[in-house]
Amino acid sequence: MDISGGQNRAGAAGASSRSGANYGSGDSTFLQALKPDLEYDEDQKLLDSFFESSEDYRNQIKLIENRQSSSFVLALDDIRAHDDVTLIDRFMANAKHYLNMSCKAIDKLIGPGPDIEESDDPVETLLNIRRKRDMERLNGNAPMASLDEEPYPEILKRRYWLQVKPVTVDEAQERKKEQEARAKGLIFTEPAVRSVRQVRARHVGQLVTVKGVVTRASDPKPLAQLIAFTCDSCGDEIFFEVTSSAFTPLSECTSKKCAQAKRRGKLMMQTRASRFLDFREVKIQELADQVPIGGIARQLTVHVFQNLCEKLDVGDLVKMTGVFLTKPYHGFRAMKAGLLGDPFMECTYIERLKESFLEKDLSEEEVEEIESFSQDNASQNKNGFDRLAASLCPAIYGHVEVKKALLLQLIGSPTTNVSEGMKIRGDIHILLMGDPGVAKSQLLKWVAAVAPRGVYTTGKGSSGVGLTAAIMKDAWTGDMVIEGGSMVLADKGICCIDEFDK
């Protein structure tokens, strides 16, 4: 049975009842067998003490208990400050397992919270009803055989989504390392923030940060994480964890009641008791300055979940942190692919690098700088417009009038709504014409880099369809979808098209 918008996660699908298994830790046995010297128990204790001793994380847990928040943000800088860097290295090298360990540590600290009769989450409402039913049976001296002796799956009880904020990077230090490597004739291949082409096979299973522009994003769809079944014979509930894009539903009951009675109860799927996640498939592409001469920009598939689904749009310049994984091909593609895997990244944190003017909040230092700039112009009787135009692309001498026009385009003006209902656009279009070698391309690249939302492209490598939109086939559903071109990616921003006559 195929799940719409399903996810291929590491591991194999498995079924479990309430007597069940350790959910989400399918890779621990393999890793312990491979490296028995790894002390996961000690790291689990370190994570437990870390969350218990941090006041900020206790406040986040309190909000989750009171159902005021559904996300938990973990900053790796805080773990580094609490412990030595060895735990960070192990966390980033085996991210999937340490994410599960962090969730276990958080689950221990989250209490039941206030009682609710009805919640926005139907699963939480059903769990509350089940707990009350079990307590009534216990108070009524019901035999233990009729009670659920094992707890519900942890995934079903989890009311939050874990986000992992990467370690803060000193960009100046990174540039210095890159310059030193280039001076020695080497390639700086292990930066903290990578491009798409710098993520290789050795990074599978690790926590990586990739910088790029979002070129395609699917609509948010529900993704099955845990399927609940009810037996028509004994009435028990069986839970099935979905770990791939396709699975075979259970047909026969595996509970102790049916086994003791030697019956084969028929299972029926309960949608409202199952756990679903908000899911989006996103494509991020390399930036123009990350593509080598003569190369083609590469793309990476990213899976985004829950609250992160609404934190990005097509055209956004982002840094995405997540676990780099691979998934096998299915169907006829598997016969051709052989042992090759399809790479993707499970996103755990998103940082938007360029915000629009409306979304950007000015800091106190920026406000003071603007006020001092205005006071200097008034006291020295200077023209602020000329000073701003001169600061635009200072490496290019002259072209004062052109820089003034580009400055007006960057700033823009409010959109005017006329009483007759007509709308007058406040933005302007600019066409730069001139001889070769007069810095037209440099001005365009500078504007695209400074603008909160800017896209630079060239007419030589783009067709008319590439500038507007293209019809593509969705990898999950097979439907035809529209993928935006450069002009769509620069919506509410500036699209710089070089060699426009080509």
Side-chain angles (χ1 to χ4, degrees):
M1 177 178 181
D2 291 328
I3 294 295
S4 177
Q7 172 196 11
N8 289 276
R9 278 172 265 174
S16 175
S17 63
R18 291 184 192 169
S19 59
N22 294 324
Y23 289 85
S25 60
D27 57 349
S28 60
T29 305
F30 169 76
L31 290 172
Q32 288 176 353
L34 185 64
K35 294 182 179 181
D37 57 333
L38 292 179
E39 297 294 342
Y40 289 121
D41 293 339
E42 294 183 3
D43 288 345
Q44 184 68 61
K45 294 178 182 178
L46 288 175
L47 290 173
D48 292 344
S49 63
F50 165 70
F51 288 114
E52 290 176 359
S53 60
S54 175
E55 183 178 357
D56 294 337
Y57 293 114
R58 289 202 304 269
N59 293 334
Q60 289 193 56
I61 291 174
K62 196 66 176 178
L63 293 176
I64 296 173
E65 284 183 358
N66 297 330
R67 298 175 180 84
Q68 298 176 354
S69 176
S70 59
S71 62
F72 190 97
V73 181
L74 170 62
L76 295 184
D77 287 333
D78 296 337
I79 297 182
R80 171 181 286 180
H82 181 267
D83 188 68
D84 55 11
V85 295
T86 57
L87 180 58
I88 291 292
D89 294 338
R90 294 194 296 272
F91 194 111
M92 298 185 66
N94 189 11
K96 194 73 175 178
H97 184 67
Y98 278 84
L99 285 173
N100 294 326
M101 292 171 61
S102 301
C103 290
K104 291 179 181 179
I106 298 171
D107 293 339
K108 295 176 183 177
L109 301 176
I110 295 180
D115 293 336
I116 56 169
E117 294 295 335
E118 186 173 353
S119 171
D120 294 335
D121 188 358
V123 175
E124 191 172 350
T125 303
L126 290 174
L127 285 177
N128 188 47
I129 295 174
R130 298 295 192 276
R131 293 191 184 101
K132 289 184 176 181
R133 181 199 63 187
D134 294 344
M135 290 300 298
E136 290 176 356
R137 290 180 179 178
L138 185 61
N139 294 333
N141 295 325
M144 289 302 297
S146 64
L147 294 177
D148 301 322
E149 300 177 0
E150 298 294 334
Y152 292 91
E154 294 296 332
I155 295 179
L156 195 66
K157 297 186 292 183
R158 196 165 291 160
R159 302 198 300 264
Y160 63 92
W161 185 257
L162 179 62
Q163 303 180 29
V164 179
K165 187 176 180 180
V167 178
T168 303
V169 178
D170 188 353
E171 296 184 0
Q173 190 70 17
E174 287 285 313
R175 286 194 296 268
K176 183 179 179 180
K177 291 181 181 178
E178 185 176 2
Q179 292 173 0
E180 292 176 353
R182 289 181 177 179
K184 296 179 181 179
L186 303 176
I187 300 177
F188 187 55
T189 57
E190 292 298 333
V193 180
R194 298 175 172 86
S195 63
V196 174
R197 67 180 60 240
Q198 290 175 329
V199 182
R200 312 305 290 268
R202 62 179 177 271
H203 298 125
V204 173
Q206 298 183 12
L207 192 72
V208 297
T209 301
V210 182
K211 181 180 179 180
V213 59
V214 180
T215 58
R216 189 197 305 180
S218 65
D219 294 332
K221 297 179 181 179
L223 168 67
Q225 186 185 28
L226 195 74
I227 303 296
F229 296 90
T230 303
C231 178
D232 61 352
S233 178
C234 64
D236 279 1
E237 293 171 333
I238 310 297
F239 295 98
F240 184 93
E241 183 182 1
V242 181
T243 55
S244 63
S245 61
F247 74 98
T248 302
L250 299 177
S251 58
E252 295 183 359
C253 181
T254 58
S255 66
K256 295 180 180 179
K257 293 181 181 179
C258 286
Q260 293 174 357
K262 297 182 180 181
R263 293 176 301 190
R264 294 184 178 180
K266 184 178 180 181
L267 295 179
M268 296 177 293
M269 184 183 298
Q270 300 295 330
T271 305
R272 290 183 61 82
S274 303
R275 174 68 71 183
F276 292 88
L277 301 175
D278 292 331
F279 170 79
R280 293 183 78 180
E281 186 187 60
V282 175
K283 295 279 188 179
I284 60 172
Q285 182 177 292
E286 289 179 313
L287 302 178
D289 58 350
Q290 296 174 338
V291 181
I293 298 175
I296 300 175
R298 298 181 183 178
Q299 291 186 340
L300 176 65
T301 302
V302 182
H303 294 174
V304 185
F305 306 96
Q306 295 295 83
N307 299 338
L308 297 176
C309 290
E310 303 301 330
K311 288 192 174 182
L312 52 81
D313 291 312
V314 175
D316 288 345
L317 181 63
V318 295
K319 285 198 299 187
M320 306 185 75
T321 302
V323 186
F324 183 64
L325 299 169
T326 61
K327 59 184 177 181
Y329 291 97
H330 296 283
F332 291 103
R333 297 184 64 186
M335 300 175 61
K336 296 181 179 180
L339 300 179
L340 296 178
D342 188 15
F344 71 101
M345 185 174 73
E346 283 189 4
C347 183
T348 59
Y349 191 78
I350 296 176
E351 179 184 356
R352 297 176 62 181
L353 299 181
K354 286 188 176 182
E355 298 177 343
S356 65
F357 290 114
L358 297 177
E359 296 174 341
K360 184 174 178 58
D361 295 329
L362 296 177
S363 62
E364 296 181 358
E365 296 178 356
E366 292 174 336
V367 173
E368 292 177 357
E369 187 175 355
I370 294 173
E371 292 177 351
S372 63
F373 177 80
S374 177
Q375 292 174 2
D376 292 342
N377 293 331
S379 61
Q380 301 178 12
N381 196 17
K382 292 183 178 180
N383 190 337
F385 180 60
D386 293 338
R387 292 181 62 186
L388 289 175
S391 65
L392 192 146
C393 198
I396 304 301
Y397 178 77
H399 298 300
V400 179
E401 299 300 326
V402 175
K403 291 183 178 181
K404 288 183 178 180
L406 294 176
L407 178 61
L408 292 175
Q409 186 184 39
L410 281 170
I411 298 175
S413 64
T415 301
T416 305
N417 295 320
V418 186
S419 58
E420 289 80 3
M422 185 174 61
K423 181 182 295 185
I424 300 176
R425 185 181 67 246
D427 305 318
I428 61 175
H429 300 311
I430 295 178
L431 176 63
L432 297 179
M433 301 178 63
D435 296 329
V438 293
K440 298 187 299 296
S441 299
Q442 297 300 322
L443 290 171
L444 289 182
K445 291 180 180 179
W446 194 91
V447 170
V450 171
R453 191 183 182 99
V455 175
Y456 175 82
T457 185
T458 175
K460 289 184 177 180
S462 300
S463 61
V465 175
L467 291 176
T468 54
I471 304 297
M472 306 293 291
K473 188 174 182 180
D474 187 80
W476 288 101
T477 61
D479 299 334
M480 304 305 293
V481 296
I482 298 177
E483 181 176 356
S486 300
M487 299 186 67
V488 178
L489 297 179
D491 183 36
K492 297 181 180 179
I494 296 180
C495 181
C496 302
I497 306 175
D498 201 3
E499 304 286 349
F500 190 71
D501 57 319
K502 304 297 190 298

